[in-house]
Amino acid sequence: MKKILAEVFVLALPLIVLAVHKAFSGNKITPYFIPRNLADRKYPKAELRQVGTAYCAFAAWLFLLVMTTSAYFMPTLERTPFLLALFFFIIPIVFLMALVIGMSYWFSGLFGRDAAVKPKLESMDAVQTGDLPQYIRKIRILNIINIACPFLLIVLILIEQAAGTAESGRAILLNVALLITFIMTLWRIRMYLIRAASLMDLSPNRVLASTLFSPLGIFFVWIHSFLIVRKFDRQNH
């Protein structure tokens, strides 16, 4: 019973934060726990630190969720391939993305020279009408890098296991570097997909939702990349 209560409490934390935020709309605490997508403009450094903290808090909640669930319900996860992929592949990727975004906003708000600072992360909404060919070219290049990373990671892990070096510091650093490259290129592909969709009479919100809020979000990034690049090629030939 204690395990179930602990799991329910962790799952309910975001709902508790949202409920408190709605009930006490003027409070200054809950905004530090609710991530926001910032536009491509300057923000006060305090606001950037606030948003950065919110993304880091979201990453911390994801980490707590994985740790709690794996500690109490590991046999259930091992019997369910979908949950196993969700908790040990999809959620860790989202965790790292949220952590990178949060740290980027936080450092911009901490070390920015002016009172108002433009976030270093490029906004998905910053669309330039004549840049569609550039967006498509970047989607192609980033897709090659992104798809190559998991295959290289699998091959390296197999080689490291065979050579008995899987637990060495150099092997771990190389594996982590490939994983971070995969996550960062995935985010940039998603950004250019949104920009390209905005210029091709497609629904950027639908593209974004399918790549973020679906358990198969990573595969939808690749699917949308293929469809958008193919549509662009057809329009220009």
Side-chain angles (χ1 to χ4, degrees), residues 15-227:
L15 298 178
I16 295 173
V17 171
L18 289 175
V20 173
H21 184 70
K22 291 291 185 181
F24 305 96
S25 57
N27 78 89
K28 298 181 179 181
I29 298 176
T30 54
Y32 284 91
F33 296 92
I34 301 176
R36 293 187 288 122
N37 183 33
L38 298 182
D40 191 32
R41 62 178 178 83
K42 290 185 176 182
Y43 290 87
K45 290 193 292 185
E47 186 173 356
L48 288 176
R49 292 195 297 269
Q50 181 187 86
V51 177
T53 301
Y55 274 100
C56 290
F58 176 62
W61 174 75
L62 291 174
F63 179 80
L64 180 63
L65 177 62
V66 172
M67 294 299 294
T68 303
T69 306
S70 59
Y72 294 149
F73 301 101
M74 193 62 191
T76 302
L77 296 178
E78 291 176 340
R79 292 194 301 267
T80 312
F82 169 76
L83 292 177
L84 201 63
L86 177 64
F87 278 89
F88 294 102
F89 182 66
I90 296 173
I91 291 181
I93 288 176
V94 178
F95 158 78
L96 286 174
M97 289 175 59
L99 188 61
V100 169
I101 295 170
M103 294 303 294
S104 176
Y105 284 148
W106 202 84
F107 280 115
S108 295
L110 185 65
F111 298 109
R113 296 181 180 179
D114 302 323
V117 181
K118 184 178 179 180
K120 292 183 179 180
L121 288 175
E122 294 181 78
S123 171
M124 291 184 178
D125 302 323
V127 178
Q128 299 294 330
T129 305
D131 288 346
L132 180 58
Q134 181 181 350
Y135 299 155
I136 298 298
R137 181 178 63 83
K138 290 183 177 181
I139 289 173
R140 285 192 173 110
I141 295 172
L142 291 170
N143 259 308
I144 294 173
I145 298 173
N146 184 257
I147 294 173
C149 283
F151 285 103
L152 287 174
L153 185 59
I154 292 171
V155 171
L156 281 175
I157 290 175
L158 293 175
I159 293 174
E160 291 160 3
Q161 291 286 350
T165 60
E167 297 181 0
S168 68
R170 184 177 299 178
I172 293 173
L173 286 175
L174 184 57
N175 295 344
V176 170
L178 280 173
L179 183 59
I180 292 175
T181 301
F182 174 77
I183 293 168
M184 295 306 295
T185 53
L186 193 71
W187 181 258
R188 291 188 68 81
I189 292 169
R190 185 183 285 111
M191 178 183 69
Y192 289 120
L193 284 176
I194 302 306
R195 293 181 177 183
S198 300
L199 297 175
M200 297 176 69
D201 297 326
L202 300 173
S203 173
N205 290 332
R206 183 175 299 176
V207 172
L208 179 62
S210 65
T211 61
L212 281 180
F213 305 114
S214 168
L216 300 176
I218 294 171
F219 298 101
F220 277 114
V221 170
W222 297 334
I223 292 170
H224 285 304
S225 297
F226 171 76
L227 294 176

